[in-house]
Amino acid sequence: MAESAHTPSRRAMLAGLAATPVAGLPAIAGGATEADPIFAAIEKYQRAAAAFNQSEEGTDQDAACSVYFDADIDLHSTKPTTPAGAAKFLRFIADFLDEDDIVNDNWIGDMVGDSIRNAVAVLEREALS
């Protein structure tokens, strides 16, 4: 059966889904995001980072730093269990590397984040198929 010019092909629809940002992935993937522990670890890290950044010097900041450190260790000790989780974690790492200029390589330093995002795109396509 031939498709009309106005009916998108399965390939075109999948290509469009593959371009969907990771932020939209939990809504699309539904329950799969809840089963992957990396989503909770990333949220815990983000809450701890925000609390640390808003804390005042002194005991308040010392306590916030301890929670932030623990959340950071927990995050990087947590293994994603789904393609959607792997994609989200890789994107998180790429954004972190770009934000804090951790990669200090004159040749490829500013390319590392995009390289990781390119790999993420493959995982996103798989997660959405």
Side-chain angles (χ1 to χ4, degrees):
M1 182 163 142
E3 293 180 335
S4 74
H6 300 289
T7 304
S9 69
R10 182 172 186 270
R11 181 175 290 159
M13 288 175 22
L14 288 175
L17 286 174
T20 304
V22 171
L25 196 54
I28 294 169
T33 61
E34 296 167 7
D36 194 323
I38 199 69
F39 290 99
I42 290 170
E43 286 180 33
K44 178 181 173 183
Y45 171 87
Q46 290 171 330
R47 284 191 310 271
F52 175 76
N53 290 332
Q54 294 174 358
S55 65
E56 308 238 349
E57 276 192 50
T59 57
D60 181 41
Q61 193 169 60
D62 291 343
C65 182
S66 178
V67 171
Y68 185 26
F69 175 79
D70 290 345
D72 198 15
I73 297 299
D74 287 347
L75 172 62
H76 291 281
S77 299
T78 302
K79 292 182 181 177
T81 59
T82 64
K88 175 110 179 175
F89 191 41
L90 282 171
R91 187 169 300 280
F92 173 87
I93 293 168
D95 291 343
F96 174 79
L97 290 173
D98 281 349
E99 178 183 307
D100 291 337
D101 295 325
I102 299 296
V103 178
N104 296 318
D105 186 306
N106 292 334
W107 296 100
I108 62 161
D110 60 343
M111 298 170 61
V112 171
D114 289 338
S115 296
I116 294 171
R117 285 184 199 91
N118 290 338
V120 167
V122 174
L123 289 173
E124 288 170 341
R125 282 193 302 270
E126 177 66 25
L128 295 171
S129 66

